[in-house]
DNA sequence: GCAAAAGTGTTGTAGATACACCCATGT
DNA sequence: ACATGGGTGTATCTACAACACTTTTGC
């Protein structure tokens, strides 16, 4: 009984937040990783993460992880809870750890010039050797991204403020990893009524200039 | 620095699992609650829950919570992770607690005669005063139930092994809290190809007997 | 005037909704 | 024979997929 109380009070599992941060870079979907400098998994890549402090809200832990590892301002990103992984007792070889994983999206243009950014953006299609169970977590996050891309504000979080419909379509194609029909894409996205025209066009080649749009509100 | 290490090592937040267990009873959707005997929220109702032990997988914590509070055998229930609530630092007034909430479904017939069941099943439409933030958690779970009822195996988990299509339709109506068209319901559910006919019928009134079905596999 | 991307309209199909009648039984 | 719930078929509409041509520009 006394033993149980000791376990209860002092041997709580560790609780960490890891963040899967996606961005579109060079026509590819990439995820922000750190290269581990400590054991376990020294030298392997991993998701940016941080232990939850006693008086810290878990979403703030996620924001802080991004701030410290990527010097990324919270206001630039979409952050949403993904899933809590706590099955594998050997997940972290130091202590038993439960990991609350957050899903994050950012427009890479907003962060690429940040000083102190330790994040390495790697293509989801060719991930480097990953520590922990982070590879499967990234795939889990990717499923969420693809499932919800049409019904969420995910696209708005990944795009710059202004863009053409072709650029937006390209983003959808990169995320879904498949080509989309131009006419159907435009019909669908415009009928969703989430875009507004900007009274400017983008000239960029020997062809008709493109109308510029942005997301509403 | 030393102070931080102390916090890191010893003052981990508490981590609990709470379970939202739904069952259909008397043509109503009910949720299994306990009446709290301790502070905080003494006398109020709450979700069955349990602190995660150091060497316990979180899903096992959920199963154990149901076993202890409801004497419910794990094999009878569908259990799935719902969401992790850890924003409200004042959620539990004893220590800072993060709650991983599981979503569970059971056929009430399987458990109603269990000895040692402390669970009180209350209608989701008239919940008693609830402790913690459990009322909003139940509503969150209810949304998940309604959203996924057509594309998951939720219905199979709530129904007895054998049933008529009218009984199944009634279950959907109770969950969705709306009436469904008989012809369309049957067409849809049969085209989903998840049911198999049992070569028996159910006679129960001055009318044509109903074909009995069960879920496949 | 030609190359190159922007921009648009129609048709077919599949899934959802709405709705009305016959069937098998107990009394 | 009648009351009761079990069981089915058809017309309509709507969302999505497939597909081809005209427009505006730079050179």
């Amino acid at each position: 009984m006394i033993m149980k109380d000791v376990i209860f009070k002092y041997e709580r599992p560790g609780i960490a937040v890891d963040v899967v941060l996606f961005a579109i870079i060079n026509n590819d979907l990439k995820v922000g990783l750190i290269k581990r400098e400590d054991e376990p998994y020294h030298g392997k890549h991993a998701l940016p993460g941080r232990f939850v402090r006693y008086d810290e809200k878990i979403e703030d832990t996620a924001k802080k992880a991004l701030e410290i590892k990527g010097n990324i301002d919270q206001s630039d990103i979409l952050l949403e809870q993904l899933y809590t992984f706590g099955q594998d007792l050997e997940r972290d070889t130091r202590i038993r750890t439960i990991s609350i994983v957050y899903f994050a999206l950012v427009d890479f243009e907003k962060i690429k010039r940040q000083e102190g950014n330790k994040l390495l953006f790697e293509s989801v299609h060719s991930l480097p050797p990953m520590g922990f169970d982070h590879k499967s977590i990234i795939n889990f996050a990717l499923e969420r991204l693809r499932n919800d891309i049409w019904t969420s504000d995910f696209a708005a979080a990944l795009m710059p403020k202004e863009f053409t419909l072709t650029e937006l379509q390209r983003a959808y194609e990169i995320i879904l990893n498949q080509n989309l029909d131009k006419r159907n894409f435009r019909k669908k996205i415009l009928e969703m009524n989430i875009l507004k025209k900007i009274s400017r066009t983008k000239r960029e080649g020997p062809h008709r200039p493109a109308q510029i749009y942005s997301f509403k509100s």
Side-chain angles (χ1 to χ4, degrees), chain A:
Chain A
M1 224 38 198
I2 287 165
M3 205 41 206
K4 272 200 172 171
D5 276 354
V6 170
I7 288 168
F8 176 70
K9 283 192 176 155
Y10 296 103
E11 282 295 337
R12 300 172 196 159
I15 184 148
V17 169
D18 292 313
V19 183
V20 184
L21 175 66
F22 289 114
I24 293 174
I25 306 171
N26 294 335
N27 280 331
D28 196 10
L29 184 62
K30 307 215 174 188
V31 59
L33 303 175
I34 53 149
K35 193 158 188 178
R36 286 189 60 79
E37 289 169 0
D38 303 319
E39 291 299 336
Y41 298 109
H42 173 79
K44 301 230 174 184
H45 288 71
L47 296 172
R50 172 184 162 89
F51 277 91
V52 177
R53 303 308 195 268
Y54 191 82
D55 54 0
E56 195 174 59
K57 296 180 185 180
I58 54 178
E59 189 166 319
D60 290 340
T61 307
K63 286 174 180 169
K64 216 158 226 169
L66 288 177
E67 208 179 299
I68 291 168
K69 302 287 167 55
N71 197 20
I72 293 168
D73 185 6
Q74 338 162 346
S75 65
D76 287 335
I77 62 160
L78 175 151
L79 189 68
E80 176 169 299
Q81 192 186 304
L82 182 65
Y83 198 79
T84 298
F85 296 86
Q87 298 301 76
D88 185 0
L89 302 184
E90 303 307 317
R91 180 184 173 283
D92 188 316
T93 55
R94 293 166 298 183
I95 57 167
R96 191 277 168 102
T97 303
I98 289 166
S99 168
I100 304 171
V101 178
Y102 274 77
F103 170 97
L105 302 174
V106 70
D107 166 24
F108 188 64
E109 294 302 315
K110 289 208 187 98
I111 61 164
K112 70 177 178 187
R113 286 171 214 293
Q114 286 296 346
E115 304 265 329
N117 181 359
K118 291 178 203 154
L119 287 180
L120 307 162
F121 281 86
E122 301 286 345
S123 167
V124 296
H125 300 107
S126 60
L127 290 171
M130 303 282 301
F132 308 109
D133 48 355
H134 288 183
K135 187 164 185 169
S136 61
I137 291 176
I138 290 168
N139 286 320
F140 189 91
L142 187 51
E143 267 186 63
R144 167 88 139 249
L145 175 58
R146 287 176 175 159
N147 279 334
D148 293 356
I149 186 66
W150 291 109
T151 51
S152 63
D153 51 357
F154 289 174
L158 287 165
M159 296 297 291
K161 270 215 178 71
E162 305 191 341
F163 48 85
T164 68
L165 290 185
T166 300
E167 287 163 355
L168 183 60
Q169 180 180 341
R170 192 80 198 93
Y172 273 79
E173 289 175 336
I174 289 163
I175 290 162
L176 297 170
N177 199 29
Q178 64 176 357
N179 294 328
L180 300 174
D181 180 275
K182 182 166 55 155
R183 288 159 291 191
N184 292 338
F185 176 79
R186 282 159 186 247
K187 221 177 304 164
K188 187 169 180 174
I189 207 87
L190 290 174
E191 273 169 9
M192 283 162 61
N193 215 32
I194 53 175
L195 300 182
K196 57 169 182 258
K197 277 189 193 179
I198 302 295
S199 56
R200 261 174 301 124
T201 56
K202 181 171 184 180
R203 268 174 274 105
E204 79 168 343
H207 55 81
R208 178 168 172 177
Q211 175 66 237
I212 293 177
Y213 288 84
S214 77
F215 283 92
K216 286 185 182 172
S217 92

